[in-house]
Amino acid sequence: MKKYVYIGIVVFLVIVTYPFWSVSGKALKKPEPKLDTPEIQKLVEKKCVEPKEFMKREHMKLLNEWRDSALRNGKRVYVNSEGKTFTISLQNTCMKCHSNKKKFCDECHTYAGVTPYCWDCHVAPKEEEGQI
Amino acid sequence: MSMDRREFLKIAGAGTILGLAGLGLFERVTEKDIEAVVERYTKDPSAMNAKRWAMVVDLRRFKTEEDYQRIIKACHKIHNVPDFGNPKDEIKWIWVDTYGHAFPGQEHDFLPEWLESKFIPLLCNHCANPPCVRVCPVKATFKSPDGITQQDYHRCIGCRFCMAACPFGARSFNWRDPRPFIKEVNQEFPTRTKGVVEKCNFCTERLAKGLKPACVEESKGALIFGDLLDPDSEVRQVLRKEFTVRRKAELGTDPSVFYIIGGSENV
């Protein structure tokens, strides 16, 4: 009888640790969001609404602020840290430049395992098949 | 260390003064910070502003089927309103109904024929005292400072209390994913998702750019739009001249959409 108990424990441990040993040694590809959309290429000064580091870290907070400002307070223009103004709109401002949702948004979101529900309602830009 | 009463009071007093001074300084700094954040958001200088947006529907100018369809299509197209093709799932921002249904209690057996068969264009009344806002448990629907009753789809949980509360049937629920039922998606406006309630927003996104609502623009003068609290506005000028009625005004919701009943000569 004891034999079966030991076999059971071994099988259990193998199954439980499967996610760890099955990927050991294999490094996940680092996400590399692409910025080479036609709109961005056209920009003389390749700058987002705020500095790159800020956007990397805080874009989700900024988007939340934008949403509340536009919808709740009726203020639909954003003045950035350099004094430049932008229309507050995910579809008409953010995605006009970043027209490559798959290679820009999804690249990191998939890696980080987050699934923001922006696109349940907001319309993602049309991406042609094979377009980077 | 021993301390007499006098010494203790001296130190305590000095400490209090220092503390209060420090507090004042701290408060001043935070106030400045908050101001800096607030100033980051402004309005477009060309935006149309009002204290309370309102509309007059001039029924005399709705003559043909095309007059109704034009405004409905203009609205539903730019706002990505789906067409499920069945009345149970119907989503409507602007729709039509009979006089008896639009103004219950006002109909009687001896109405003129032209009024009995006339369709009334209907939309959200953007009430000054909106019951839908009162019942919303998550504050997804709210009153904006310009008098528009708005709906925040980010926050809507789809409980449909607002639909039960609205006496005008101005709200529709997305029982199904609306995306496949939008013929031509307007890339500049979001769609909705399954499980949220939606309705007319008085084209708040257009007003922010200085444009009148889409239906008003398409109506060829049959819909008049303006600030109800500005005595010189177009709406007020019409209200001063014409006799107007509002839907179910007796319920006390104070609707902002007025109707000029007429148009016998069109039939």
Side-chain angles (χ1 to χ4, degrees):
Chain A
M1 271 322 273
K2 253 189 183 171
K3 197 175 73 184
Y4 293 114
V5 173
Y6 288 133
I7 292 171
I9 290 171
V10 168
V11 168
F12 173 77
L13 285 176
V14 166
I15 292 171
V16 163
T17 56
Y18 172 77
F20 298 98
W21 53 258
S22 65
V23 293
S24 69
K26 282 181 252 170
L28 263 177
K29 205 175 104 254
K30 200 180 148 204
E32 281 165 0
K34 294 255 180 347
L35 293 168
D36 54 351
T37 65
E39 275 304 312
I40 296 175
Q41 300 291 1
K42 264 189 253 166
L43 290 176
V44 184
E45 212 183 353
K46 291 188 176 42
K47 271 186 179 173
C48 198
V49 295
E50 293 290 351
K52 189 178 169 182
E53 283 311 310
F54 176 87
M55 293 309 289
K56 247 188 191 174
R57 208 173 51 241
E58 310 275 347
H59 66 277
M60 57 299 267
K61 285 185 197 162
L62 187 72
L63 286 171
N64 271 356
E65 272 182 30
W66 274 30
R67 176 195 64 205
D68 292 342
S69 173
L71 196 59
R72 299 270 165 178
N73 308 328
K75 293 183 174 172
R76 289 173 184 257
V77 172
Y78 178 69
V79 187
N80 78 357
S81 46
E82 291 175 2
K84 278 193 195 165
T85 56
F86 296 89
T87 303
I88 293 178
S89 171
L90 177 64
Q91 276 169 238
N92 301 328
T93 302
C94 306
M95 304 312 283
K96 276 276 140 60
C97 278
H98 298 292
S99 56
N100 53 342
K101 175 187 165 271
K102 282 177 199 152
K103 285 285 175 192
F104 185 72
C105 306
D106 297 351
E107 184 79 5
C108 295
H109 290 164
T110 309
Y111 179 81
V114 291
T115 45
Y117 51 70
C118 312
W119 313 105
D120 288 0
C121 292
H122 288 279
V123 183
K126 279 181 190 151
E127 285 181 77
E128 285 162 35
E129 286 296 315
Q131 185 201 333
I132 299 168
Chain B
M1 188 182 114
S2 68
M3 195 188 283
D4 62 13
R5 185 186 170 89
R6 186 181 162 81
E7 199 63 22
F8 171 77
L9 285 174
K10 263 183 179 168
I11 292 168
T16 311
I17 289 164
L18 271 177
L20 283 175
L23 197 70
L25 194 73
F26 177 72
E27 266 173 8
R28 209 167 300 148
V29 169
T30 45
E31 241 168 54
K32 231 188 235 167
D33 284 352
I34 291 163
E35 223 166 85
V37 171
V38 172
E39 274 172 13
R40 293 215 142 169
Y41 296 93
T42 58
K43 282 187 174 186
D44 189 330
S46 59
M48 289 173 77
N49 296 301
K51 290 203 181 78
R52 181 179 166 189
W53 287 117
M55 187 186 278
V56 178
V57 180
D58 189 348
L59 273 180
R60 297 168 303 187
R61 302 185 82 150
F62 284 91
K63 292 172 184 166
T64 59
E65 171 70 17
E66 163 45 30
D67 291 336
Y68 297 93
Q69 286 306 320
R70 208 175 46 244
I71 61 163
I72 294 172
K73 274 187 189 148
C75 168
H76 287 192
K77 198 178 162 196
I78 69 159
H79 292 124
N80 291 328
V81 177
D83 179 10
F84 290 108
N86 92 59
K88 263 178 94 179
D89 296 339
E90 188 188 14
I91 306 280
K92 49 201 196 328
W93 285 33
I94 307 181
W95 71 107
V96 295
D97 211 334
T98 57
Y99 179 78
H101 287 166
F103 298 93
Q106 300 300 315
E107 81 280 32
H108 54 78
D109 291 346
F110 312 101
L111 280 177
E113 247 174 64
W114 64 264
L115 188 54
E116 263 187 354
S117 61
K118 190 153 186 104
F119 281 114
I120 320 277
L122 305 171
L123 69 156
C124 169
N125 279 294
H126 297 280
C127 307
N129 180 22
C132 54
V133 170
R134 234 181 115 162
V135 299
C136 182
V138 291
K139 294 198 174 169
T141 186
F142 59 100
K143 206 67 191 155
S144 61
D146 54 1
I148 299 178
T149 306
Q150 294 207 57
Q151 173 86 354
D152 184 348
Y153 305 111
H154 302 95
R155 205 182 279 189
C156 178
I157 56 169
C159 72
R160 290 171 282 138
F161 281 14
C162 55
M163 290 176 71
C166 176
F168 305 105
R171 296 173 158 272
S172 315
F173 184 66
N174 284 280
W175 292 98
R176 294 195 271 166
D177 179 14
R179 284 259 171 103
F181 298 92
I182 303 166
K183 265 179 221 116
E184 207 184 310
V185 175
N186 173 13
Q187 290 279 333
E188 306 208 328
F189 198 81
T191 67
R192 263 69 58 201
T193 181
K194 188 168 109 175
V196 297
V197 171
E198 64 179 272
K199 66 170 204 71
C200 156
N201 65 354
F202 250 15
C203 280
T204 175
E205 83 285 0
R206 285 171 61 87
L207 295 171
K209 288 189 281 190
L211 299 166
K212 279 190 179 180
C215 57
V216 176
E217 222 168 59
E218 284 292 319
S219 69
K220 298 184 182 168
L223 303 175
I224 301 115
F225 188 76
D227 187 355
L228 195 60
L229 300 185
D230 170 11
D232 300 320
S233 72
E234 253 185 284
V235 158
R236 283 288 291 276
Q237 283 170 23
V238 174
L239 292 180
R240 213 172 286 139
K241 251 191 350 227
E242 305 282 353
F243 172 70
T244 50
V245 288
R246 292 184 296 175
R247 294 180 67 198
K248 303 185 189 176
E250 69 277 10
L251 296 177
T253 68
D254 200 357
S256 302
V257 178
F258 299 77
Y259 289 84
I260 302 173
I261 308 291
S264 59
E265 66 278 12
N266 303 332
V267 183

